[in-house]
């Protein structure tokens, strides 16, 4: 099933505040291949041609303005500022991983989301899709896991999200913490992966941030994937991580900056 959601244009907002990460979860569960989810947001413009570029993994590739076959169905690009496509499937330890020495999917099986984000507008946008496990530093760690995503439950839906959070009351930092991301030119796309262990476990920044604290229900039935996207591409700077990753000050999504796919049933064996 294809769902398109058109959201209002992005609004400018200055971010501030530090972040502290939560401990990474671990778990096991056999899962079956999931369904494709699509959402659109922000702006009104027809995309110009642009090839997809990797954003931290072996995600699907796509061309703005074309039909994308994501494995469980076909999705067609339509006008709108941002289009997000995502599929969920089970994933095991990566080839060459050494168990406990790995991180994320390199260490244990779980839920893996492949996504493609396309800028169908007329101006560059910044996708905050490289989330450090230790959020709070003023620079991005060179070994940041580009597949890391925050994991929490929102209104009964398991959410894998690449986003910032607002600082807690009276929290101040000497240097603004940063997140990583990619600048997406008009008509261009990025691809990437997001990971959560299974059974899913809460994974959010620490108490210095206003983030969900309720444990994830291991029996949760639906999932969605979200990416924070803003018009602050001009405020980013190249990161030492390389590969086109940029750094920008962390902030909670403002207005319609958090682009999410519609909830869908979690595929299970």
């Amino acid at each position: 099933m294809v769902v398109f959601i058109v959201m209002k244009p992005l609004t400018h907002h200055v971010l501030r505040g530090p972040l502290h990460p939560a401990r990474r979860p671990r778990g096991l569960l056999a899962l079956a291949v999931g369904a494709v989810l699509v959402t659109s947001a922000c702006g009104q413009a027809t995309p110009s041609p642009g090839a997809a570029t990797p954003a931290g993994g072996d995600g699907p590739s796509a061309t703005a303005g074309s039909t994308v076959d994501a494995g469980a169905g076909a999705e067609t690009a339509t006008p709108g500022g941002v289009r997000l496509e995502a599929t969920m499937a089970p994933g095991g330890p990566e080839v060459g991983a050494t168990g406990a020495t790995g991180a994320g999917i390199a260490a244990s099986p779980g839920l893996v989301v492949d996504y493609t984000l396309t800028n169908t507008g007329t101006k560059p946008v910044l996708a905050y899709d490289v989330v450090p496990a230790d959020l709070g530093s003023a620079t991005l760690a060179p070994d940041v896991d580009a597949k890391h995503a925050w994991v929490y439950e929102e209104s009964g839906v398991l959410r894998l999200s690449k986003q910032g959070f607002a600082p807690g009351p009276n929290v101040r930092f000497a240097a603004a913490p940063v997140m990583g991301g990619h600048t997406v030119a008009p008509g261009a796309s990025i691809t990437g992966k997001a990971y959560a262990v299974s059974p899913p476990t809460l994974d959010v920044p620490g108490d210095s941030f206003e983030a969900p604290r309720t444990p994830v229900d291991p029996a949760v039935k639906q999932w969605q994937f979200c990416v924070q996207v803003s018009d602050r591409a001009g405020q980013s700077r190249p990161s030492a991580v390389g590969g086109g990753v940029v750094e920008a000050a962390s902030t909670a999504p403002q207005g319609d900056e958090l682009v999410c796919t519609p909830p869908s049933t979690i595929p299970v064996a």
Side-chain angles (χ1 to χ4, degrees):
M1 178 180 69
V2 179
V3 180
F4 297 100
I5 301 175
V6 178
M7 301 171 66
K8 295 179 293 184
L10 297 168
T11 55
H12 179 82
H13 182 79
V14 177
L15 338 65
R16 61 189 181 85
L19 311 175
H20 290 283
R23 295 180 179 85
R24 298 295 298 273
R26 291 292 181 269
L28 298 174
L29 180 66
L31 302 173
V33 177
V36 178
L37 299 180
V38 181
T39 186
S40 300
C42 320
Q44 303 87 22
T46 301
S48 57
T53 57
D58 302 318
S61 60
T63 300
S66 69
T67 297
V68 180
D69 184 351
E75 310 301 342
T76 304
T78 60
V82 176
R83 189 180 73 256
L84 177 63
E85 301 164 280
T87 63
M88 176 179 281
E94 295 176 332
V95 175
T98 55
T101 62
I105 191 176
S108 63
L111 299 166
V112 180
V113 172
D114 285 281
Y115 66 88
T116 299
L117 180 80
T118 302
N119 179 3
T120 59
T122 58
K123 297 181 180 179
V125 297
L126 176 61
Y128 295 84
D129 68 330
V130 183
V131 179
D134 295 324
L135 197 55
S137 174
T139 58
L140 200 61
D143 61 347
V144 63
D145 180 6
K147 300 178 184 66
H148 179 243
W150 305 121
V151 180
Y152 58 95
E153 190 174 329
E154 178 67 27
S155 301
V157 177
L158 178 67
R159 177 175 287 182
L160 280 69
S161 187
K162 298 194 174 188
Q163 64 173 93
F165 291 93
N170 303 317
V171 174
R172 298 292 184 271
F173 290 87
V178 302
M179 292 174 57
H182 291 84
T183 298
V184 189
S189 299
I190 59 172
T191 64
K193 291 181 182 289
Y195 167 82
V197 298
S198 42
T201 305
L202 181 70
D203 181 6
V204 293
D207 293 339
S208 292
F209 291 86
E210 296 181 351
R213 302 298 169 196
T214 303
V216 174
D217 181 355
V220 63
K221 301 298 184 183
Q222 291 191 307
W223 71 280
Q224 67 180 166
F225 176 66
C226 303
V227 179
Q228 183 177 351
V229 183
S230 82
D231 60 0
R232 293 182 287 273
Q235 299 179 23
S236 64
R237 62 180 184 269
S239 170
V241 174
V245 175
V246 297
E247 296 178 4
S250 300
T251 186
Q254 303 297 314
D256 295 329
E257 289 183 350
L258 192 62
V259 182
C260 298
T261 59
S264 182
T265 302
I266 296 175
V268 297

